[in-house]
Amino acid sequence: SFGVFRSNGDRVCGSQQLEGSYNVASRNWFQLAVETRAFAVGRYQIGKVTGRPSLGLAKPLIDRSGTSQGVVYTALNLKLVEERAAANLLPVGASFLLVDRAGTVLSAVPQAGSDTPGAGASIVQSELFAAMKSGRTGSSQELRGIDGRPLLFFFFNLGLAADASIYAAIGLPLEAGRT
């Protein structure tokens, strides 16, 4: 979904049909866009209208005089990210993990039957999250995944905005990662 909001958070227009007034001033992505006056990436959220897990992306609307007029917003459907990764990207036994800067799982695609925590779970205390934060894009490391399986992980920092990193990791079974 997408929308345009006034600088106080009131909805001007959007892709979803809504009855009555609607305000997003309490949403992290809105607050960040207004405060930083720059592109902002929010945190994991359940959409107020759609009820779906999503990641808010917002850009402030600044007029020529430098005055904030509002915020334009779109939501990245995290379920769709999972579906695409599961259908198109991963070899058998591999895993895909997308995590926000707070250590919240945005999307996780494990092998079938795995106990991998899903979207919304916190992995902030895990060794894997520490490696994701400290690893350079393209670096790799053998670690236990959040489901306990030993995997060779490749790390990517998707620094989408200032202080708003999104971390991705692709884990391959050790025998596949060594060929």
Side-chain angles (χ1 to χ4, degrees), residues 2 9 32 38 52 55 59 83 87 94 96 105 128 132 142 153 160 175 178:
F2 62 90
L32 285 170
R52 289 185 225 136
L55 183 67
K59 177 91 170 122
E83 290 169 5
F96 169 77
V105 175
L128 178 56
M132 291 173 87
E142 280 187 31
F153 281 97
L160 301 174
E175 53 282 353
R178 291 189 176 123

Side-chain angles (χ1 to χ4, degrees), residues 61-148:
L61 300 170
I62 310 292
D63 67 18
R64 290 178 191 213
S65 70
T67 304
S68 175
Q69 297 298 311
V71 171
V72 64
Y73 159 84
T74 191
L76 177 61
N77 180 338
L78 297 173
K79 197 65 171 162
L80 186 60
V81 171
E82 278 184 8
E83 290 169 5
R84 300 286 180 185
N88 300 320
L89 298 177
L90 299 175
V92 174
S95 68
F96 169 77
L97 190 62
L98 195 63
V99 179
D100 73 11
R101 63 192 170 279
T104 303
V105 175
L106 300 173
S107 181
V109 179
Q111 92 180 61
S114 168
D115 295 327
T116 301
S122 176
I123 64 162
V124 73
Q125 298 296 324
S126 73
E127 183 181 13
L128 178 56
F129 182 62
M132 291 173 87
K133 284 179 59 175
S134 64
R136 292 185 340 267
T137 290
S139 65
S140 63
Q141 185 175 349
E142 280 187 31
L143 290 168
R144 290 206 173 272
I146 57 176
D147 62 357

Side-chain angles (χ1 to χ4, degrees), residues 158-177:
L158 310 176
L160 301 174
D163 203 27
S165 290
I166 302 296
Y167 304 99
I170 296 174
L172 299 177
L174 294 178
E175 53 282 353

Side-chain angles (χ1 to χ4, degrees), residues 27-44:
R27 288 295 199 172
N28 177 261
W29 52 263
F30 179 82
Q31 293 170 358
L32 285 170
V34 169
E35 289 169 16
T36 64
R37 299 172 62 92
F39 178 73
V41 177
R43 292 191 197 118
Y44 173 86

